[in-house]
Amino acid sequence: MNKNTPFIAVCVALLVGLVLPLATGASAPGFYVEVLLGGLMAGVLYSLVALGFALIFKASGVFNFAQGAMVLFAALAVARLAERMPLWAAILVGIVIMTLLAWFIERLVLRPLVNQDPIALFMATLGVTFFLDGFGQTVWGSDIYKIELGMTKEPVLVLQNLFQGGILVNGEDFVAAIVAAALVGGLALFFQYTPTGRALRAVADDHQAAQSIGIPLNRMWVIVWAVAGVVALVAGVIWGSKLGVQFSLSQVALKALPVVILGGFTSVTGAIVGGLIIGVGEKMAEVFLGPVLVKAFDLAGGGIENWFAYVLALVFLLVRPQGLFGEKHIDRV
Amino acid sequence: MSAMENDRAGRIGGQILAVEGVSLAFGGVKALSDVSFDVREHEVRAIIGPNGAGKSSMLNVINGVYHPQKGTIRYQGREYHHMDPHEVAVSGIARTFQSLALFKGMSVLDNIMTGRNLRMRSNILLQALRIGPALREENEHREVVERIIDFLEIQAYRKTPVGRLPYGLQKRVDLARALAMEPKILLLDEPMAGMNIEEKQDMCRFILDVNDEFGTTIVLIEHDMSVVMDISDRVVVLDYGRKIGDGTPDEVRGNQAVIDAYLGVSH
């Protein structure tokens, strides 16, 4: 038996699960596409948060538990600032704040801990998480705030001539997904084609060599944390406008964890693909697997969305620990 | 031949780097004890010695990776107690690595372009938009890099990820990346280690060409004596962290302490 067999089996199972509802006629094509689109839109947001994770992990080897807290902090900042100024200005100021935050984290947390064990750095980011959660409340308050993107939340019917009855699409979700996708694409281009992007990739590849050719590690860390901060801000604003800006945002952002396990910790592509898979997977499971469980086992059937991502991540840890696109790590003994 | 040697000798200038009384210990292990030597402009200076003699430690001290407990480093007339890797790179000292430290996932071209990073002036925003000065700057740096690629004869591998190249070529990319910094001093950590005889000859030729054409001062470490003797102007010999010989290859070859260190001696 090939050692990849279990992994391939899992992938095939996922694919079968994906097409089964359509193939068995359990779902009308229009409804199926609706669920698929809904999943993809949620998935883009997961990708966005996971991207922040992957960037920081790649460039500084730090497992940044604070990514979720950064999402919440950024969303709070934008929501409260927007009460006093137009939204675009609030977002700009938010970007400045997240950049400053990155600078402070590098100065006060990362630099003193350089060359420490990864677990020490991880604990430090745990500290940053709680600090940001609390400090966010201190500065911005702890109520539920709204971010108005000024778009209609009413779903619209589209493609009525292609599917019977058409499909319902939420316009705001749609725009959000496009913005997120553009951001992801822009970042990918930035990393591939600019000198700074090249330097960041170099740092991600080999710290010592990067230093010897004069790439300033500290500045690169500030840059990745700032980029991760901006990504968190975009995710926070989009999510905040959907769910309201509240504490639970930082929990939703934790979904990025299974996403990076699925995609591979060091892979930007992995973060994107992983986010989409989990977004689509959990929506499909909720909508189509739920009723099956109700029928077959007389269960209540709900809540699949809450655990699906984590169980899938667990399965991946068993069959392919490095994730879809991660580097296989072989230690010399 | 002798005319060429005279020509080389004539180009060698004044002292550019001096290591004075450097001692380095890791806990109780003494890696270097009171080592002093100097490097003159445009020369090829070798540091040799058996395994564990402290050669790499010496290079890491110059490079700023290790901070010596005692001694100073004089570089271009300024005195340092220790160097800092980034500062060293900025001040014009480049290095290659014994165990390759290339960016394996990146292409040959990208690897070498990172060597130009220090000289890039445009800010992130201009870079991201790829407009005006940033684009012109990128093209200028690309030209320099292309000259180095031609010089080291690696044109065919520009777009290949470095991890896929054979070892000898990876060594050449490592050299190319260091050259892209246009350094005043080039530190080479065992540039010929693990190479077959042909690759070694190629590498010797490249090192001498770099020295001749760019006027780069070269400090290299080797434990293979024969290679070093052919291309070096002066040689320092280390053994157990102490300097046991210093001079031209001929002088060093005749030095009894050096012969003992390499062949072993019965007491």
Side-chain angles (χ1 to χ4, degrees):
Chain A
M1 193 175 91
N2 189 308
K3 65 179 170 20
N4 275 331
T5 313
F7 169 61
I8 294 166
V10 169
C11 289
V12 170
L14 276 178
L15 273 178
V16 170
L18 186 65
V19 293
L20 210 56
L22 200 60
T24 55
S27 153
F31 181 61
Y32 181 82
V33 172
E34 234 174 77
V35 176
L36 188 69
L37 278 181
L40 282 175
M41 284 164 189
V44 172
L45 288 179
Y46 293 153
S47 301
L48 215 50
V49 185
L51 190 67
F53 252 116
L55 287 179
I56 288 178
F57 189 78
K58 221 168 138 60
S60 54
V62 176
F63 185 90
N64 178 26
F65 196 77
Q67 192 67 32
M70 279 160 73
V71 170
L72 174 64
F73 188 81
L76 270 176
V78 171
R80 293 312 301 277
L81 287 168
E83 291 169 7
R84 266 162 258 178
M85 53 181 91
L87 185 69
W88 61 267
I91 288 177
L92 279 185
V93 175
I95 288 174
V96 172
I97 289 175
M98 293 315 282
T99 310
L100 279 177
L101 183 70
W103 188 82
F104 274 115
I105 289 178
E106 198 278 327
R107 252 316 134 87
L108 302 175
V109 181
L110 296 179
R111 195 179 290 189
L113 288 177
V114 77
N115 288 335
Q116 296 284 328
D117 277 342
I119 189 74
L121 284 158
F122 170 68
M123 292 307 288
T125 68
L126 208 62
V128 171
T129 308
F130 284 102
F131 171 74
L132 280 183
D133 279 348
F135 188 63
Q137 290 182 19
T138 311
V139 179
W140 312 111
S142 53
D143 291 334
I144 299 177
Y145 301 101
K146 273 196 292 192
I147 296 179
E148 283 300 337
L149 291 180
M151 275 180 291
T152 168
K153 286 196 167 54
E154 290 295 305
V156 249
L157 272 177
V158 292
L159 296 178
Q160 261 153 315
N161 38 10
L162 199 58
F163 299 102
Q164 202 180 6
I167 50 179
L168 277 176
V169 176
N170 185 330
E172 193 181 89
D173 277 3
F174 193 67
V175 174
I178 287 174
V179 169
L183 184 68
V184 168
L187 279 176
L189 290 176
F190 175 76
F191 278 99
Q192 200 58 40
Y193 294 110
T194 67
T196 304
R198 195 163 46 219
L200 283 167
R201 279 184 292 142
V203 170
D205 217 315
D206 190 322
H207 285 186
Q208 208 200 353
Q211 232 179 350
S212 84
I213 52 172
I215 294 175
L217 279 189
N218 295 325
R219 178 139 45 98
M220 291 300 136
W221 284 343
V222 173
I223 293 176
V224 275
W225 279 77
V227 170
V230 171
V231 169
L233 179 128
V234 174
V237 169
I238 294 174
W239 249 323
S241 85
K242 271 172 80 153
L243 310 173
V245 179
Q246 52 185 319
F247 189 70
S248 69
L249 265 192
S250 66
Q251 250 93 62
V252 184
L254 265 189
K255 277 267 170 70
L257 216 67
V259 171
V260 284
I261 291 174
L262 200 74
F265 274 98
T266 52
S267 168
V268 169
T269 324
I272 298 165
V273 176
L276 295 179
I277 291 178
I278 286 199
V280 170
E282 63 180 22
K283 274 279 181 319
M284 289 278 167
E286 177 79 38
V287 176
F288 297 118
L289 184 62
V292 174
L293 291 181
V294 173
K295 245 190 228 158
F297 303 105
D298 197 23
L299 300 174
I304 296 179
E305 229 171 329
N306 293 336
W307 56 257
F308 180 84
Y310 295 92
V311 171
L312 191 59
L314 191 64
V315 172
F316 262 74
L317 282 177
L318 292 175
V319 299
R320 197 178 164 91
Q322 75 269 33
L324 284 172
F325 298 94
E327 292 149 30
K328 194 162 189 183
H329 198 73
I330 304 167
D331 273 320
R332 220 182 254 180
V333 198
Chain B
M1 187 65 198
S2 80
M4 203 184 113
E5 267 169 19
N6 285 339
D7 184 37
R8 277 181 58 79
R11 288 181 52 191
I12 291 174
Q15 185 185 75
I16 182 170
L17 179 82
V19 174
E20 282 156 16
V22 162
S23 296
L24 175 74
F26 301 103
V29 183
K30 280 188 179 162
L32 295 169
S33 323
D34 196 24
V35 177
S36 305
F37 66 92
D38 69 336
V39 180
R40 296 186 197 138
E41 240 171 316
H42 299 313
E43 78 173 336
V44 178
R45 185 70 149 137
I47 305 174
I48 64 170
N51 281 327
K55 304 183 298 282
S56 287
S57 299
M58 192 66 245
L59 209 63
N60 281 330
V61 165
I62 299 175
N63 185 222
V65 176
Y66 296 157
H67 296 169
Q69 280 85 9
K70 262 192 270 174
T72 54
I73 298 155
R74 202 202 312 273
Y75 173 53
Q76 293 187 314
R78 272 187 64 189
E79 219 164 90
Y80 300 86
H81 283 288
H82 61 78
M83 313 279 265
D84 157 84
H86 176 65
E87 216 177 287
V88 166
V90 173
S91 68
I93 301 180
R95 77 168 290 180
T96 66
F97 292 82
Q98 180 185 353
S99 54
L100 287 160
L102 289 162
F103 310 124
K104 296 219 169 47
M106 291 161 60
S107 70
V108 168
L109 186 63
D110 273 355
N111 263 277
I112 305 174
M113 283 296 278
T114 57
R116 303 297 298 173
N117 213 75
L118 270 180
R119 294 172 184 273
M120 302 216 171
R121 291 283 161 267
S122 57
N123 68 38
I124 294 189
L125 268 182
L126 291 180
Q127 286 175 15
L129 299 171
R130 293 179 74 78
I131 49 174
L135 199 58
R136 198 171 58 234
E137 192 183 29
E138 176 89 357
N139 289 338
E140 282 166 14
H141 289 302
R142 178 67 190 270
E143 268 171 38
V144 177
V145 166
E146 285 298 331
R147 275 206 294 282
I148 292 166
I149 287 177
D150 286 347
F151 183 76
L152 294 178
E153 297 162 19
I154 43 180
Q155 299 93 328
Y157 312 103
R158 269 193 203 92
K159 303 279 178 192
T160 317
V162 166
R164 282 204 224 135
L165 292 178
Y167 183 74
L169 282 173
Q170 292 198 17
K171 281 274 196 189
R172 239 187 265 178
V173 176
D174 196 6
L175 179 61
R177 185 179 62 186
L179 279 181
M181 293 165 67
E182 297 181 60
K184 294 193 187 73
I185 301 182
L186 186 55
L187 310 173
L188 304 174
D189 193 352
E190 304 221 6
M192 264 82 84
M195 285 186 167
N196 64 33
I197 208 75
E198 249 170 76
E199 287 172 331
K200 278 186 188 176
Q201 282 168 351
D202 278 347
M203 193 45 105
C204 281
R205 179 166 59 86
F206 286 130
I207 291 173
L208 286 178
D209 283 353
V210 167
N211 182 249
D212 282 343
E213 289 195 20
F214 302 125
T216 314
T217 308
I218 289 172
V219 178
L220 75 113
I221 290 181
E222 258 307 329
H223 71 252
D224 181 346
M225 273 185 57
S226 60
V227 176
V228 171
M229 295 304 186
D230 292 340
I231 62 171
S232 314
D233 296 304
R234 290 190 302 153
V235 180
V236 181
V237 191
L238 299 180
D239 190 26
Y240 292 111
R242 287 171 198 286
K243 186 168 93 168
I244 57 169
D246 190 352
T248 63
D250 283 332
E251 284 165 8
V252 165
R253 218 179 263 132
N255 181 331
Q256 192 57 42
V258 175
I259 297 168
D260 290 349
Y262 265 88
L263 300 179
V265 65
S266 55
H267 292 283

